[in-house]
Amino acid sequence: MKTQVAIIGGGPSGLLLAQLLHRRGIESVVLERKTKDYVLGRIRAGVLEEGLVALMEEAGCADRLHAEGFTHEGTLISYGDEMFRVDFTAHTGKPVVVYGQTELTRDLYDAREKAGGHIVFNVADVRINDADTNAPFVTYVVDGAAQRLDCDFIAGCDGFHGVSRQAIPLDMRREYEKVYPFGWLGILSETPPVNHELIYANSPRGFALCSMRNERLSRYYIQCSLSDKPDDWTDAAFWQELKRRIPAAQADQLVTGPSIEKSIAPLRSFVTEPMRWGRLFLCGDAAHIVPPTGAKGLNTAASDVHYLYDALRDFYENGSEVGIDAYSEKALARVWKAERFSWWFSSLMHRYPDQSAFDLKIQVADLEFLRSNKAAQKAMAENYVGLPY
Ligand code: APR
Ligand code: PHB
């Protein structure tokens, strides 16, 4: 089989890239290790920056997002007995859109299916070959049969556990990592959200987040120990702990109910450099991970897709390799700023096991500065709504 762009991974990065390229008449084949149902079963953050919304529009996939997504013009931050709001639109003129990543991925699958896009599911043993030449190819196995896909370019959109990153020789690759000493226990419940905007809470018992999917579906998280298992936490224990970490007024109003999903995610910051090797380009979680505080994972994947889409268009439409040559540098410049923001926001909001009395005072000073200083709020708002592409 032959195509122009071989895309490894059918998560949001791979699907968005495939759909954008299709709208410009550039062919691709997506190779996905799992099934569509499996991909759509994953629950991830759901806060979209304007840049991602614009890409979904360009991909022709934004109708449901506009109809069902919620525009949020600010967020609440609490610590101790204090709570304040950071107003995104007042500081930046931009809101964010709350719309679940699962729904966004579903919209992309629907669009690919409507357009007759080629997605191969259940692929095994995906290998990248000759990426440092002008004739790369990908080999893989489906239903026990070996296959070969020849292409002009390979997009490695296969997430943190994918194979694409490993295809860049070790002596050319540099990895940067920070692992946080806690996780997030998250639940989804068919209850109305406690507040119409998100609440990020720093409490002496640890971080908590009140988020949502829609008026009837809430998403809540509490910081937990890395040794905890979801089954260690009954629903009642979760609700009790959440109420102790958020301001009393919200805790009193919180509507609880059975969880329909419960899981624990570790927190990690990770970046690999470069994001390009020859004709292989890494996008999204394949190249970088952020802790979920601030919901930058999907949005950073989107900015990679934007730069790669522009570069490939420039190549096919104008015969220029300028965009391709600049891809890694441009993508990484933005990635590192999102890494910094996610690290800062995580550091501000969590309790660390080894935090000294001094560290705690510094954290409170940082929160009080943010509460009282317009410039600090503007800087936070600019990062939260998304830095420009
Ligand atoms: N071959 C083919 N597909 C693979 C392989 C492989 N060897 N390894 C992984 N995959 C698939 C996974 O099954 C998954 O569907 O690649 C896809 C990668 O999807 P994600 O992990 O969702 O990564 P990405 O598309 O970059 O999405 C960005 O933003 O909010 C964050 O982490 C969150 O998923 C989110 C990400
Ligand atoms: C979520 O709704 O899952 C969510 C929202 C904001 C975050 C992280 C996760 O910062």
Side-chain angles (χ1 to χ4, degrees):
M1 192 161 44
K2 186 161 175 37
T3 191
Q4 289 173 301
V5 184
I7 299 177
I8 306 176
S13 303
L15 296 170
L16 180 58
L17 180 65
Q19 179 64 11
L20 287 165
L21 293 175
H22 161 75
R23 305 265 291 184
R24 291 283 173 162
I26 303 166
E27 264 179 40
S28 68
V29 174
V30 174
L31 304 175
E32 168 55 50
R33 182 166 60 175
K34 304 281 189 180
T35 62
K36 177 175 149 185
D37 285 348
Y38 182 94
V39 175
L40 291 177
R42 291 192 282 235
I43 297 180
R44 303 269 171 85
V47 179
L48 317 186
E49 296 173 356
E50 179 191 54
L52 172 50
V53 173
L55 279 176
M56 288 293 283
E57 283 166 358
E58 188 159 354
C61 299
D63 289 352
R64 203 158 68 93
L65 185 166
H66 284 311
E68 296 175 20
F70 293 83
T71 299
H72 282 203
E73 299 197 338
T75 194
L76 294 166
I77 296 181
S78 75
Y79 63 104
D81 296 327
E82 296 283 343
M83 181 149 81
F84 62 95
R85 179 168 184 266
V86 177
D87 190 322
F88 303 146
T89 37
H91 287 296
T92 70
K94 295 175 195 168
V96 290
V97 176
V98 169
Y99 186 67
Q101 181 176 315
T102 311
E103 299 312 311
L104 178 137
T105 310
R106 193 188 306 282
D107 295 341
L108 289 167
Y109 268 119
D110 287 350
R112 292 316 295 132
E113 281 162 15
K114 253 190 219 135
H118 199 154
I119 305 178
V120 188
F121 291 101
N122 294 314
V123 299
D125 203 13
V126 171
R127 286 180 204 206
I128 292 170
N129 304 274
D130 293 356
D132 55 341
T133 72
N134 285 349
F137 63 99
V138 181
T139 54
Y140 56 98
V141 174
V142 191
D143 293 334
Q147 307 283 345
R148 171 176 169 141
L149 176 61
D150 288 283
C151 55
D152 299 332
F153 298 101
I154 300 169
C157 302
D158 48 353
F160 184 63
H161 301 288
V163 293
S164 299
R165 185 171 70 247
Q166 320 296 341
I168 303 181
L170 261 181
D171 59 346
M172 300 194 175
R173 186 158 33 107
R174 177 105 200 250
E175 297 186 343
Y176 303 83
E177 184 173 47
K178 180 176 177 63
V179 176
Y180 299 79
F182 40 73
W184 277 20
L185 167 65
I187 69 160
L188 202 56
S189 76
E190 286 168 327
T191 51
V194 67
N195 188 61
H196 69 284
E197 289 179 341
L198 273 59
I199 304 173
Y200 291 90
N202 172 322
S203 102
R205 302 183 63 88
F207 171 74
L209 170 60
C210 306
S211 183
M212 66 201 69
R213 293 293 173 267
N214 58 49
E215 307 96 330
R216 284 158 285 107
L217 195 56
S218 296
R219 180 79 170 148
Y220 295 104
Y221 299 94
I222 54 174
Q223 173 183 347
C224 66
S225 161
L226 280 172
S227 57
D228 285 3
K229 302 276 168 284
D231 288 345
D232 299 342
W233 286 85
T234 60
D235 288 352
F238 180 93
W239 292 121
Q240 188 186 25
E241 187 59 33
L242 177 66
K243 285 183 180 179
R244 296 170 86 168
R245 296 186 188 193
I246 61 177
Q250 278 69 31
D252 289 346
Q253 282 168 21
L254 184 77
V255 180
T256 64
S259 63
I260 54 172
E261 193 266 354
K262 194 185 283 160
S263 54
I264 292 182
L267 272 71
R268 181 196 302 269
S269 299
F270 173 87
V271 181
T272 194
E273 292 188 351
M275 285 172 59
R276 174 221 181 170
W277 183 58
R279 290 200 161 211
L280 167 67
F281 300 86
L282 303 180
C283 272
D285 279 19
H288 41 77
I289 296 285
V290 285
T293 333
K296 288 292 162 224
L298 177 62
N299 292 298
T300 316
S303 61
D304 295 348
V305 168
H306 161 84
Y307 294 125
L308 184 54
Y309 165 56
D310 268 4
L312 291 172
R313 245 173 53 192
D314 210 22
F315 177 86
Y316 285 112
E317 293 172 6
N318 307 316
S320 165
E321 299 202 8
V322 173
I324 280 168
D325 289 340
Y327 171 73
S328 179
E329 207 180 313
K330 271 195 185 170
L332 282 165
R334 193 174 187 280
V335 162
W336 274 112
K337 293 187 192 102
E339 290 284 342
R340 186 211 65 86
F341 176 68
S342 306
W343 161 81
W344 167 78
F345 200 20
S346 299
S347 311
L348 184 72
M349 300 307 296
H350 291 81
R351 289 296 150 126
Y352 288 68
D354 60 351
Q355 222 164 7
S356 66
F358 178 87
D359 298 335
L360 280 167
K361 287 282 190 187
I362 293 292
Q363 201 181 51
V364 172
D366 205 355
L367 281 158
E368 286 185 353
F369 182 61
L370 182 61
R371 177 174 60 83
S372 58
N373 186 284
K374 288 224 162 14
Q377 292 194 4
K378 185 169 181 353
M380 181 192 166
E382 283 186 2
N383 280 279
Y384 199 98
V385 302
L387 297 174
Y389 285 0

